[in-house]
């Protein structure tokens, strides 16, 4: 069995086990040229007038980047805690984690309570996330 397939199989088994244990329900919300994006519907919480939820990016290739101008980090998945203002159609990332192929968190932004709000575009995975989280779907 090729090494790539073995790694892929291990990642998928890990994700399935993680979902079974923690009750996650990931739904596909879109893709771009580098990744597919998912929202965990079981993570959606009402926080005052806003919604908070988990969103994941699964990249087609393993990526390497330097976070905080440090040592290079190799990763395949990003997972964010997103806050969404459904009334104003705005969203922001409150926490970002960089995850390797084995499911290990390699870097975390920590809580970012002052992150800027961004408007939600008419198309793309942000709009689909809005539709699922804010009740349009």
């Amino acid at each position: 069995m090729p090494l790539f397939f073995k790694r892929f199989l291990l990642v998928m088994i890990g994700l399935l086990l993680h979902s079974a244990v923690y009750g996650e329900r990931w739904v596909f919300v879109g893709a771009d040229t580098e990744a597919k994006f998912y929202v965990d519907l079981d993570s959606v919480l009402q926080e005052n007038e806003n919604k908070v939820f988990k969103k994941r990016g699964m990249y087609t290739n393993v990526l390497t980047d330097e976070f905080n101008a440090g040592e290079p980090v190799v990763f395949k998945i990003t997972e964010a805690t997103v806050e969404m203002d459904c009334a104003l159609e705005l969203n922001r990332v409150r926490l970002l984690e960089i995850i390797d192929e084995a499911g290990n968190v390699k870097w975390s932004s920590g809580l970012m309570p002052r992150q800027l709000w961004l408007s939600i575009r008419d198309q793309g995975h942000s709009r689909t996330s809005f539709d699922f989280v804010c009740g349009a779907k």
Side-chain angles (χ1 to χ4, degrees):
M1 189 178 308
L3 181 59
F4 170 78
F5 184 73
K6 287 180 183 178
R7 285 184 181 170
F8 175 77
L9 192 58
L10 285 174
V11 168
M12 294 311 295
I13 289 170
L15 290 174
L16 289 172
L17 289 174
H18 189 266
S19 294
V21 170
Y22 295 104
E24 296 169 340
R25 190 168 39 124
W26 294 96
V27 295
F28 177 74
V29 293
D32 62 22
T33 58
E34 293 185 325
K36 292 181 180 177
F37 297 93
Y38 302 85
V39 166
D40 177 13
L41 294 182
D42 288 341
S43 73
V44 178
L45 299 172
Q46 187 76 37
E47 193 172 280
N48 298 318
E49 60 277 346
N50 297 337
K51 304 265 181 133
V52 177
F53 61 97
K54 297 273 187 198
K55 186 169 183 177
R56 181 178 285 166
M58 309 260 320
Y59 292 84
T60 54
N61 295 305
V62 175
L63 303 175
T64 303
D65 205 339
E66 290 186 23
F67 297 92
N68 295 335
E71 188 174 316
V73 176
V74 177
F75 64 99
K76 182 83 172 169
I77 301 166
T78 57
E79 191 167 297
T81 300
V82 177
E83 181 178 5
M84 190 166 283
D85 184 323
C86 297
L88 297 177
E89 295 191 11
L90 299 172
N91 72 142
R92 65 180 174 179
V93 174
R94 294 189 355 184
L95 176 99
L96 178 65
E97 293 181 326
I98 305 302
I99 303 169
D100 67 13
E101 286 183 286
N104 302 308
V105 175
K106 302 308 282 181
W107 182 85
S108 177
S109 67
L111 291 176
M112 302 184 292
R114 300 185 197 276
Q115 192 72 356
L116 294 176
W117 289 95
L118 301 172
S119 61
I120 296 168
R121 298 180 185 175
D122 289 337
Q123 297 178 336
H125 60 85
S126 291
R127 172 57 58 183
T128 309
S129 299
F130 173 85
D131 291 344
F132 275 107
V133 171
C134 293
K137 286 201 176 188

